[in-house]
């Protein structure tokens, strides 16, 4: 499978953003789709995952409420929506496939929150 | 949550050196431990999964060992393309967590 993410976003505080992750090369409903955040100059933080078969999401602590994982299986695409954006949401967001280890990764989407 | 602690946070090494990075889990995770390499401006890629299994396409100079709480990533002979940041990650139970990373720099 290959994962291709949407392009960079520049948003104002309080706005929302929706990042897409399109899968190709394999049956979309056969795997787990994870989301990983990397703040500027920082390490990797697992945000949670969504079951591409059932659509059931699991969120890590700290990523509940404003963060929503969703799917559109008709176009083999996963989404990460973040609402009420804050400056500290500025980061690279990666989608990545896998249950016990993560492979392959999308190329990352930079979300910048600035007034 | 299970905490993952890597050491060192950074190291300087020369081409040809043997490099060892360690990762310690705050509780036993059996062999549910993975290693990733990230180069600047690029997405991470998996090197080792399940503590010691080499991902397809990864050079054999990379190896992993350990079980329980203590794990090691070894690069037997450092090559120019290996200068990068390395992360461990457990997949024992949710939430999966990463170590803070080890930056391998040129001496």
């Amino acid at each position: 499978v290959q994962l291709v993410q949407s392009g960079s976003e520049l948003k104002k505080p309080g706005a929302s953003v929706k990042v897409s992750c399109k899968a190709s090369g394999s049956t979309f409903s056969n795997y787990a789709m994870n989301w990983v955040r990397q703040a500027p100059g920082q390490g990797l933080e697992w945000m949670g995952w969504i079951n591409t078969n059932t659509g059931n999401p699991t969120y890590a602590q700290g990523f509940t409420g404003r963060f929503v994982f969703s799917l559109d299986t008709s176009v083999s695409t996963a989404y990460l929506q973040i609402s009420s954006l804050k400056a500290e949401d500025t980061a690279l967001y990666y989608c990545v496939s896998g249950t016990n280890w993560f492979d392959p990764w999308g190329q990352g989407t930079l979300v910048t929150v600035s007034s | 949550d299970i905490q993952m602690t890597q050491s060192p946070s950074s190291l300087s090494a020369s081409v040809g050196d043997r490099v060892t990075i360690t990762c310690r889990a705050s509780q036993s995770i059996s062999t549910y431990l993975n290693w990733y390499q990230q180069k600047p401006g690029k997405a991470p890629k998996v090197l080792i999964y399940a503590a010691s299994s080499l991902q397809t396409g990864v050079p054999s100079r990379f190896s992993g060992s350990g079980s329980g709480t203590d794990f090691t990533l070894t690069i037997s002979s450092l090559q120019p393309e290996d200068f990068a940041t390395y992360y461990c990650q457990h997949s024992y139970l949710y939430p999966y967590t990463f170590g803070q990373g080890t930056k391998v720099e040129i001496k």
Side-chain angles (χ1 to χ4, degrees), chain A:
Chain A
V1 64
Q2 290 185 314
L3 303 177
V4 178
Q5 297 185 228
S6 49
S8 297
E9 300 270 9
L10 174 59
K11 296 289 184 182
K12 294 189 183 303
S16 295
V17 69
K18 194 169 187 177
V19 176
S20 67
C21 171
K22 184 172 177 60
S24 61
S26 181
T27 304
F28 186 64
S29 60
N30 280 353
Y31 47 84
M33 186 67 78
N34 300 268
W35 290 93
V36 173
R37 182 170 78 176
Q38 187 168 37
Q42 301 301 307
L44 304 170
E45 189 174 16
W46 181 75
M47 302 172 63
W49 71 289
I50 186 165
N51 185 317
T52 57
N53 190 37
T54 65
N56 183 51
T58 298
Y59 300 97
Q61 203 166 13
F63 295 100
T64 56
R66 297 190 300 116
F67 299 82
V68 177
F69 307 148
S70 61
L71 302 171
D72 184 340
T73 55
S74 68
V75 290
S76 300
T77 301
Y79 301 95
L80 163 65
Q81 184 161 1
I82 311 172
S83 59
S84 303
L85 283 162
K86 307 174 183 180
E88 51 264 40
D89 294 324
T90 294
L92 260 173
Y93 292 85
Y94 292 101
C95 61
V96 53
S97 171
T99 302
N100 290 317
W101 60 89
F102 293 168
D103 180 70
W105 295 63
Q107 82 277 20
T109 296
L110 178 63
V111 175
T112 303
V113 184
S114 174
S115 56

Side-chain angles (χ1 to χ4, degrees), chain B residues 19-57:
Chain B
V19 169
T20 299
I21 299 168
T22 64
C23 178
R24 175 165 287 177
S26 60
Q27 68 179 73
S28 177
I29 56 170
S30 184
T31 57
Y32 289 89
L33 190 283
N34 311 307
W35 290 98
Y36 300 86
Q37 177 193 64
Q38 186 178 33
K39 296 181 179 179
K42 299 292 187 181
K45 74 167 193 176
V46 64
L47 300 175
I48 302 286
Y49 61 92
S52 60
S53 295
L54 192 68
Q55 174 72 338
T56 302

Side-chain angles (χ1 to χ4, degrees), chain B residues 63-84:
Chain B
S63 64
S65 65
S67 66
T69 61
D70 294 313
F71 301 86
T72 299
L73 173 70
T74 300
I75 310 172
S76 61
S77 177
L78 197 66
Q79 298 301 301
E81 60 267 31
D82 300 337
F83 292 96

Side-chain angles (χ1 to χ4, degrees), chain B residues 75-94:
Chain B
I75 310 172
S76 61
S77 177
L78 197 66
Q79 298 301 301
E81 60 267 31
D82 300 337
F83 292 96
T85 300
Y86 295 84
Y87 295 92
C88 62
Q89 175 224 12
H90 84 83
S91 55
Y92 185 69
L93 48 74
Y94 294 126

